[in-house]
């Protein structure tokens, strides 16, 4: 704006023009950079804002408007690869034949399995042991089952167990079978297949797809090492029980 303002007609409309439009020099020039201008605190006095949330003289909030990214958490599940025996219609007949039978087993935490075993009450002195492995029987662990008080039903008793293992990689398999000591040894190995849990990666919002593992090309089927149980003439003939049928 020029230092001199041309006269105007009284009562007329006043028009403001900048001198550079008329080809004249400006009396002063103020250059603004790309930086956000500093605004005095007094400009915020009439606004309903908490000044402690703002930088002094600037309307830039100290608080971040972008939420902190939440790191993805990878979780796994131990999935039983068999039907729960206690839900089968022939469960008690199987129990009569084997003298010991797994009733149910399920994941009890990311690295633990809890199960219930029912045995035939042959004698007062009895014990139940779980033999299990996480490396295809290269090494074997044993866990003693505990009697469930007040569980007697007819001529049967219940025992419970909990298998606790280290963190397992996706695809790992936990295999176990049951040994019942009461006037001799009695076994339940799921008709020779053993009871198997496999580690699967959880997928949020998607149903779990369980794929049947493929045989190792480096190992022929006859070289696999299942946990072999002693043969007994009193043992029932094994029945065909393919645990994969439940996922087909």
């Amino acid at each position: 704006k020029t230092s001199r303002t041309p006269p105007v007609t009284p009562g007329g409309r006043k028009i403001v023009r900048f001198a550079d439009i008329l080809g004249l020099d400006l009396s002063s020039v103020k250059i603004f950079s790309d930086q956000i201008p500093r605004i005095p605190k007094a400009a915020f006095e009439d606004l309903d804002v908490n000044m402690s949330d703002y930088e002094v003289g600037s309307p830039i909030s100290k608080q971040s408007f972008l939420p902190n990214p939440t790191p993805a958490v990878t979780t796994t599940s131990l999935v039983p690869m068999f039907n729960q025996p206690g839900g089968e219609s022939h469960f008690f007949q199987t129990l009569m034949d084997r003298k010991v039978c797994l009733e149910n087993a399920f994941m009890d935490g990311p690295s633990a399995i809890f199960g219930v075993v029912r045995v035939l009450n042959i004698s007062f002195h009895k014990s139940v042991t779980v033999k299990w492995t996480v490396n295809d029987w290269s090494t074997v662990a044993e866990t003693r089952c505990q009697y469930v008080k007040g569980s007697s039903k007819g001529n049967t008793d219940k025992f419970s167990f909990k298998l606790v293992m280290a963190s397992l990689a996706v695809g790992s398999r936990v295999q176990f079978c049951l040994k019942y000591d009461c006037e001799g040894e009695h076994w339940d190995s799921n008709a020779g297949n053993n009871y198997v849990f496999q580690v699967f990666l959880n997928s949020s919002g998607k149903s779990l797809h369980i794929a049947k593992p493929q045989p190792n090309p480096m190992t022929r089927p006859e070289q696999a090492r299942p946990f072999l149980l002693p043969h007994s003439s009193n043992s029932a003939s094994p029945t065909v029980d393919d645990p994969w049928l439940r996922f087909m």
Side-chain angles (χ1 to χ4, degrees):
K1 187 176 180 181
T2 60
S3 58
R4 296 179 60 190
T5 303
V8 296
T9 305
R13 184 179 180 184
K14 186 175 181 179
I15 300 175
V16 178
R17 296 187 179 90
F18 289 94
D20 58 343
I21 297 179
L22 303 176
L24 304 177
D25 295 332
L26 298 174
S27 59
S28 62
V29 177
K30 177 66 175 178
I31 299 176
F32 293 93
S33 65
D34 292 336
Q35 297 178 353
I36 298 177
R38 306 284 293 182
I39 302 174
K41 273 189 173 184
F44 294 90
E45 290 180 353
D46 295 334
L47 301 178
D48 186 17
V49 295
N50 185 359
M51 291 307 300
S52 63
D53 292 337
Y54 294 87
E55 300 286 356
V56 176
S58 173
I60 301 177
S61 173
K62 295 178 182 178
Q63 302 173 350
S64 174
F65 291 97
L66 295 177
N68 294 327
T70 303
V73 179
T74 301
T75 58
T76 57
S77 294
L78 279 165
V79 180
M81 309 304 293
F82 55 89
N83 295 321
Q84 296 297 327
E88 300 291 345
S89 59
H90 52 78
F91 172 72
F92 281 99
Q93 182 58 49
T94 303
L95 177 60
M96 294 298 120
D97 296 336
R98 298 178 184 172
K99 310 298 188 294
V100 55
C101 191
L102 178 72
E103 188 162 313
N104 53 63
F106 50 87
M107 181 181 74
D108 188 23
S111 300
I113 296 172
F114 179 83
V116 175
V117 182
R118 191 175 286 275
V119 301
L120 198 63
N121 190 7
I122 303 173
S123 174
F124 178 78
H125 298 286
K126 58 178 71 72
S127 67
V128 181
T129 305
V130 182
K131 290 183 176 288
W132 57 283
T133 180
V134 295
N135 52 20
D136 198 22
W137 304 109
S138 294
T139 58
V140 181
E142 293 188 359
T143 298
R144 188 78 173 266
C145 299
Q146 302 296 320
Y147 173 70
V148 179
K149 294 182 179 180
S151 64
S152 295
K153 182 179 180 181
N155 60 340
T156 66
D157 290 325
K158 276 186 181 182
F159 286 76
S160 67
F161 65 87
K162 185 174 183 179
L163 309 181
V164 180
M165 59 222 63
S167 179
L168 298 174
V170 174
S172 300
R173 290 158 62 88
V174 182
Q175 302 182 61
F176 67 89
C177 61
L178 306 172
K179 177 186 176 185
Y180 177 37
D181 288 299
C182 184
E183 296 187 0
E185 287 186 359
H186 312 277
W187 293 86
D188 176 19
S189 62
N190 191 21
N193 298 308
N194 295 317
Y195 294 101
V196 180
F197 277 75
Q198 186 162 342
V199 180
F200 287 91
L201 182 66
N202 291 336
S203 179
S204 59
K206 296 181 180 179
S207 58
L208 181 64
H209 174 69
I210 301 176
K212 185 173 182 178
Q214 298 298 319
N216 189 335
M218 301 299 295
T219 305
R220 297 197 304 271
E222 60 270 19
Q223 292 178 326
R225 302 196 305 165
F227 188 79
L228 300 178
L229 302 180
H231 176 74
S232 172
S233 58
N234 296 328
S235 300
S237 59
T239 57
V240 178
D241 181 14
D242 189 351
W244 298 107
L245 294 178
R246 61 181 295 213
F247 301 108
M248 296 180 63

